[in-house]
């Protein structure tokens, strides 16, 4: 069974601060996806990282995939109240009977105070 | 593009009732759909993988007879919670993806169904 450890579980910060969320595993993933979810809604895809060492930027969000494709991080610069939500990392399995399944991290509840 | 519609969004019913939840891919064909369960402030737990035209694959600990999944067409999968009880109350979310390399075809999620059993 593949596991994806996501930390921290809860993050409460002031507007303008920076933050980093981590996802770590002992397993290799073919790709890793980051989602953001608001209460009562489904997760919305933010980014997919595929190549080991890859870095992707989405405005104030920076996503990194570890060289060995076992870990990833999400860094938010100058957080805003609109960034508040549940952030989920999910590793994709490419082979065997697990093809297409996602392994989700435990999630990070981010609260940005004005 | 890649819109997944889930219906109903909210259902309240009495204990013992069976409840059907629909998951539709509106603008693409989905050979594979996934059903998840989510408790408040927690991550998604995969319940089963639904493949069009074949039996669903259930995760360990998920009762097949309790959570019936049907994927009769390339755009529709249904989850039926049979004889629902209060402990089945949860947020159920489906996702869909087109067959192909996972790197190019992410899962697209519905907006979830809030199920409350009285």
């Amino acid at each position: 069974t593949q596991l994806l450890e996501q930390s921290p579980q809860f993050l409460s910060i002031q507007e303008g601060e920076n933050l980093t969320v981590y996802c770590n595993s002992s397993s290799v993933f073919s790709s890793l996806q980051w989602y953001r979810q608001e209460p009562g809604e489904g997760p919305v895809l933010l980014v997919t990282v595929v190549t080991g060492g890859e870095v992707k930027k989405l405005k104030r969000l920076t996503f990194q995939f570890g060289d060995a494709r076992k870990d990833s991080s999400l860094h938010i610069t100058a957080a805003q109240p609109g960034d508040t939500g549940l952030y989920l990392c999910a590793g994709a399995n490419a082979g065997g009977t697990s093809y297409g399944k996602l392994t989700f991290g435990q999630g990070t509840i981010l609260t940005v105070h004005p | 593009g890649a819109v997944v519609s889930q219906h109903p969004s909210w259902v309240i019913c009495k204990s013992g009732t069976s409840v059907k939840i629909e998951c539709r891919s509106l603008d693409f064909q989905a050979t594979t759909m996934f059903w998840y369960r989510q408790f408040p402030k927690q991550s998604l737990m995969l319940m089963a993988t639904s493949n069009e035209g074949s039996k669903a694959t259930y995760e360990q600990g998920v009762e097949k007879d309790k959570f019936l999944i049907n994927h009769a067409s390339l755009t529709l999968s249904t989850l039926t919670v049979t004889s629902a009880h209060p402990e089945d109350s949860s947020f159920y979310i489906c996702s869909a993806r087109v067959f192909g390399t996972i790197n190019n075809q992410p899962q697209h999620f519905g907006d979830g169904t809030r199920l409350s059993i009285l």
Side-chain angles (χ1 to χ4, degrees), chain B:
Chain B
V3 177
V4 175
S5 173
Q6 198 170 329
H7 178 81
S9 56
W10 201 349
V11 58
I12 302 173
C13 57
K14 294 181 179 180
S15 185
T17 307
S18 290
V19 178
K20 180 185 283 189
I21 302 170
E22 292 186 348
C23 181
R24 292 180 185 273
S25 55
L26 298 186
D27 51 2
F28 67 101
Q29 292 183 328
T31 52
T32 305
M33 289 185 173
F34 302 87
W35 287 96
Y36 296 86
R37 185 171 179 178
Q38 186 178 33
F39 292 103
K41 298 186 177 181
Q42 292 187 22
S43 188
L44 278 66
M45 293 192 314
L46 180 65
M47 298 175 66
T49 302
S50 170
N51 291 299
E52 185 268 336
S54 64
K55 290 183 179 181
T57 302
Y58 290 82
E59 295 300 299
Q60 193 172 7
V62 178
E63 298 176 58
K64 301 178 183 181
D65 297 330
K66 176 73 171 177
F67 300 99
L68 299 178
I69 292 172
N70 184 276
H71 192 156
S73 78
L74 287 171
T75 59
L76 173 65
S77 175
T78 61
L79 167 68
T80 302
V81 183
T82 62
S83 187
H85 292 287
E87 59 266 27
D88 299 321
S89 298
S90 191
F91 192 54
Y92 292 88
I93 307 175
C94 72
S95 70
R97 69 173 194 88
V98 180
F99 180 80
T101 173
I102 186 63
N103 298 336
N104 297 327
Q105 302 290 345
Q107 291 187 22
H108 305 282
F109 286 84
D111 275 342
T113 296
R114 172 72 58 195
L115 176 62
S116 297
I117 308 299
L118 305 177

Side-chain angles (χ1 to χ4, degrees), chain A:
Chain A
T1 304
Q2 293 183 305
L3 293 174
L4 202 49
E5 297 289 333
Q6 186 172 344
S7 63
Q9 275 191 277
F10 301 94
L11 206 47
S12 180
I13 61 173
Q14 293 296 126
E15 183 175 2
E17 292 183 7
N18 302 331
L19 65 111
T20 303
V21 179
Y22 300 93
C23 274
N24 296 291
S25 176
S26 58
S27 303
V28 176
F29 293 102
S30 62
S31 67
L32 198 135
Q33 300 169 21
W34 284 90
Y35 293 86
R36 179 169 172 265
Q37 184 182 21
E38 301 216 27
E41 298 181 9
V44 175
L45 179 69
L46 295 174
V47 79
T48 299
V49 285
V50 176
T51 308
E54 182 176 6
V55 176
K56 281 191 174 179
K57 291 192 175 183
L58 190 67
K59 296 184 179 177
R60 293 176 294 101
L61 279 61
T62 302
F63 305 86
Q64 187 162 7
F65 202 12
D67 291 339
R69 291 186 288 130
K70 293 182 180 181
D71 55 87
S72 181
S73 64
L74 157 61
H75 182 78
I76 301 180
T77 304
Q80 300 176 0
D83 295 328
T84 294
L86 173 65
Y87 288 81
L88 297 161
C89 62
N93 307 297
T97 57
S98 300
Y99 190 78
K101 283 173 59 172
L102 290 178
T103 300
F104 277 88
Q106 297 94 327
T108 297
I109 297 176
L110 171 64
T111 305
V112 182
H113 302 280

